[in-house]
Amino acid sequence: MATKLLMKPQITVSQLSPPLPNTTEMIRSSLSATNIINSTRNFNKMSRFGQRTICAAEQQHVEVSQSASQIKIQLYDALQGINRGIFGVSSDKKSEIEELVKQLESQNPIPEPTLSLDKVAGSWRLIYSTISILGSKRTKLGLRDFITLGDLYQNIDISEGKAVNVIKFNARGLSLLNGELRIEASFKIASKSRVDIFYNNSAITPDQLMNVFKKNYDLLLGIFNPEGWLEITYVDENSRIGRDDKGNIFVLERSQKDKL
């Protein structure tokens, strides 16, 4: 696993000022104090109109922010019952999810996330990925009946430039043995929104679970190895979306865990 600011419309001088009068009206205005007073009143009215326009722009900005929240709600609804998409989803469901992801990405409040890595730091839980374990891969890894795939976490330590991915497993038939695969990687900033990721090491604990996966360990590691690059396409206080060099999408939510 590796996972815009809206500009208020500018108020031009023409919006704040009344239309320019023709030559005759200008002459009359120069001779009539009444017209001068009326012109001043008209200007004040237009100024108030300009203020209302600014208020409308501010209201529109708030509505857009609420729209991002609505997209999140729709996305969470679409993710119900698909087990993070890892064991496959229908093409219609995949299209629905990816469209919502694109909509959320278009409202990314932090378009240059690597310049604000504190927003990315901490523990995250995967809620959707286009990484899939299907067919013979799923069978070889025993992920049909014997082994259950649990939560997938990512802990990012920006002070050390390190990310640790933790994949939880539960092996039935072995006294409900619980274990995990930990993959440690380092990262380096490549651009204002991208990081390069380098595999460091990995391990499965406890040893009993390692014995289960030993024969197909390379297969398992190949699925979850984050090495490559990751584009951070959306991040806020609670959600993060990323796209990697293999074309995968990752949607994560901030975890309550302080440490993995």
Side-chain angles (χ1 to χ4, degrees), residues 134-136 138-139 141-147 172:
L134 305 173
S136 60
R138 187 174 181 182
T139 301
L141 294 173
L143 293 173
R144 293 191 182 276
D145 301 309
F146 179 52
I147 299 174
R172 291 186 293 273

Side-chain angles (χ1 to χ4, degrees), residues 177 203-215 217:
L177 176 67
I204 293 180
T205 54
D207 291 340
Q208 296 96 313
L209 187 63
M210 180 60 194
N211 292 333
V212 173
F213 283 116
K214 187 174 182 179
K215 183 178 179 180
Y217 185 70

Side-chain angles (χ1 to χ4, degrees), residues 1-3 97-106 128 130 193-195 197 228-234 240-252:
M1 291 180 301
T3 359
I97 293 170
E98 293 189 11
E99 176 58 31
L100 290 168
V101 166
K102 289 178 182 178
Q103 290 180 30
L104 199 54
E105 288 172 329
S106 71
Y128 176 74
T130 53
S193 60
R194 180 179 294 185
V195 293
I197 302 173
W229 55 255
L230 180 75
E231 192 85 17
I232 305 169
T233 56
Y234 182 93
R240 179 161 62 91
I241 299 173
R243 295 175 181 264
D244 70 6
D245 57 309
K246 306 169 189 67
N248 293 310
I249 297 173
F250 305 92
V251 181
L252 305 97

Side-chain angles (χ1 to χ4, degrees), residues 27 40 70 222 230:
I27 295 173
T40 303
Q70 287 297 111
L230 180 75

Side-chain angles (χ1 to χ4, degrees), residues 116-179:
S116 305
L117 280 179
D118 57 305
K119 302 295 184 182
V120 178
S123 181
W124 301 83
R125 186 172 72 94
L126 184 75
I127 59 174
Y128 176 74
S129 173
T130 53
I131 285 179
S132 59
I133 306 175
L134 305 173
S136 60
K137 287 184 179 180
R138 187 174 181 182
T139 301
K140 287 180 179 180
L141 294 173
L143 293 173
R144 293 191 182 276
D145 301 309
F146 179 52
I147 299 174
T148 301
L149 181 65
D151 285 330
L152 291 83
Y153 294 100
Q154 183 177 72
N155 192 46
I156 300 176
D157 186 337
I158 60 173
S159 64
E160 295 188 11
K162 183 176 71 174
V164 178
N165 294 347
V166 178
I167 300 95
K168 300 283 188 178
F169 295 99
N170 175 272
R172 291 186 293 273
L174 295 176
S175 301
L176 295 178
L177 176 67
N178 295 316

Side-chain angles (χ1 to χ4, degrees), residues 180-232:
E180 62 185 34
L181 165 65
R182 295 175 66 94
I183 303 174
E184 182 179 310
S186 56
F187 64 85
K188 181 175 66 175
I189 294 174
S191 74
K192 293 179 179 180
S193 60
R194 180 179 294 185
V195 293
D196 290 330
I197 302 173
F198 307 92
Y199 170 83
N200 291 341
N201 57 72
S202 62
I204 293 180
T205 54
D207 291 340
Q208 296 96 313
L209 187 63
M210 180 60 194
N211 292 333
V212 173
F213 283 116
K214 187 174 182 179
K215 183 178 179 180
N216 295 295
Y217 185 70
D218 289 342
L219 173 62
L220 181 65
L221 187 59
I223 294 171
F224 294 109
N225 187 355
E227 189 165 70
W229 55 255
L230 180 75
E231 192 85 17
I232 305 169

